[in-house]
Amino acid sequence: MSARRDDLPTVCVLCSHNCGLRVDVEGDRIVAVRADDENPITTGYVCNKAFSIDHYVHHAQRVRNPLKRQTDGSFARISWAQATSEIAARLRGILERHPPRALAMVGVGGQGNHLDGVYALSFLRGLGSRAWFNALAQEKTQHALVDRWMFGAPPTAFLHPDSEHARYLLMIGTNPAVSHRGHNATELLGALKADPARTLVVVDPRRTETARRADVHLQLEPATDAWLLLGLLAIVVREGQCDRDFVARWTRDFERISAVLSAIEPAAMAARAGVPLAELERVARGFATADSAAVLMDLGAEQVSFSTLIAYLVRLLVALTGNLGRAGGNVFLGTFAPAGGGLDRAPFHALASGIEAIEMLAPFGMLSPNLLPEEILSTHPERIRALVCEGSNPLIQAADLKRQREALAALELCVVIEPAMTETARAAHYVLPTPVGYEKWEYSGFPKGYPGIYAQVRPPILPAPDEALPEAEIYARLARAVGLCEPAPRILHALAARAHTPLGAGAYFATLGALAAARGRE
């Protein structure tokens, strides 16, 4: 057993907040966890989830070597060479008989484990497919779509509430006192409560833990968020509470939207939402006249009827009151991924439903995993026949689990890349083990810390199982085995030994660029 190592910096990877942690390690176990006061993003904040991270690493379902499902349903241990060669051969066979979209990918990434993304999507794209299914498309991609329509925003930018500086904060569809949604949520709620000049409004059908701390609780009927927002907007426009300077300088077609909103009766919207008209008027006026106001929106308003309309109405409220792109309002943050990248940007559509894949976080459209069964079980000749599942468990996460299971059983090839033997892994043909986020170098692409934007790069703090490979290495091996690329030149292997140093990294990437340019001229 290796010596004990104390006070190692890392983060919690159990949600997107990625609280900074200090941990003590003994051998291959995390034996103590505490908040990291020096973390520039969370500055000592932590929730109770973080204290269980050792169980995320050590449990009975860990996958420690490549597995192949046998005819009786059991799994047998195989070598990496056998796994990659057999998977590559089956992929080549499918792609020889069917178009590239017969191969799909579900998942990719995780809560603070994002180094795999470029490799996974490059592998998919290299095989000619754009069929990517991700859980974000169940709840979040309408934001990217509306941002593109309204602002011409790239998929790598998203609208973020500057909650820490907002004088008036409207929370809709979220309960941060429990979920810790946002930045240091309980500290934020405490600061709002302690400052009489700041106002917190919570929109929620339940009197949640957060609602009990609010200055105003709009206790609407379930799934009536769109009516409530329309009522707020109608009041703002009818009472002339728009920020005229902002509207004149930064918007167009105000007259058209003003005419629509002016025709809406706030009393009718309040009745539909089940809230008193006086409370709706109070919130509309407060939001419009505050020194700064922001909207914090989450799943409760993203997985209801008219979720795309709700995303639009939130942005309309922020824009008409002049709270777009300003401190204390809603601002755009960017991600690490390049906004363009030269990919074919023509829309990609699901076969069965015609639903368009929406680009979000990267210039690569994604579809909801809820669409997988009909895309696999369709009679269309271009239906999905092979699936790579990484960082996802659709047999738990997606809707209609019976159909999901039926669809997975119909695949010619299902490969799961996971550190755990999940429900989906047990339905796969091959299971390939990867380290968890504490056993490898990792990166978190969640933008944090407005107005400063921080990235998180983490070294491993624990040894990985001997046969577990990082996702990037798995995709590289599969790409070589399937014939997408040749082995790296010897010079790159030599330079890689010092690529972790500033000079070594420069030499490595300069040589890589020169080799790529030379190959492009051939």
Side-chain angles (χ1 to χ4, degrees), residues 237-253:
V237 171
R238 281 175 166 233
E239 297 188 357
Q241 299 280 7
C242 297
D243 185 325
R244 296 185 181 277
D245 292 339
F246 183 91
V247 169
R249 183 178 182 185
W250 297 108
T251 72
R252 63 184 181 186
D253 297 329

Side-chain angles (χ1 to χ4, degrees), residues 309-331:
L309 173 61
I310 291 168
Y312 169 69
L313 296 176
V314 164
R315 285 154 176 77
L316 194 58
L317 178 64
V318 170
L320 291 183
T321 57
N323 286 293
L324 179 68
R326 57 170 295 192
N330 286 74
V331 296

Side-chain angles (χ1 to χ4, degrees), residues 87-175:
I87 291 169
R90 294 175 73 167
L91 280 173
R92 285 195 299 268
I94 290 170
L95 294 176
E96 286 169 1
R97 294 178 281 111
H98 304 288
R101 68 177 299 154
L103 167 63
M105 186 168 287
V106 60
V108 179
Q111 300 288 31
N113 298 295
H114 297 153
L115 277 179
D116 58 337
V118 172
Y119 297 89
L121 297 181
S122 296
F123 177 70
L124 184 65
R125 187 65 170 167
L127 292 174
S129 177
R130 296 167 62 194
W132 178 31
F133 298 79
N134 189 284
L136 277 174
Q138 296 174 182
E139 59 209 27
K140 299 289 186 183
T141 45
Q142 70 272 18
H143 298 300
L145 182 66
V146 172
D147 288 339
R148 186 180 79 199
W149 287 344
M150 287 188 73
F151 311 118
T156 53
F158 67 94
L159 201 60
H160 169 77
D162 182 15
S163 306
E164 289 71 37
H165 303 102
R167 308 306 293 169
Y168 199 100
L169 183 59
L170 176 65
M171 292 185 178
I172 179 168
T174 184
N175 183 16

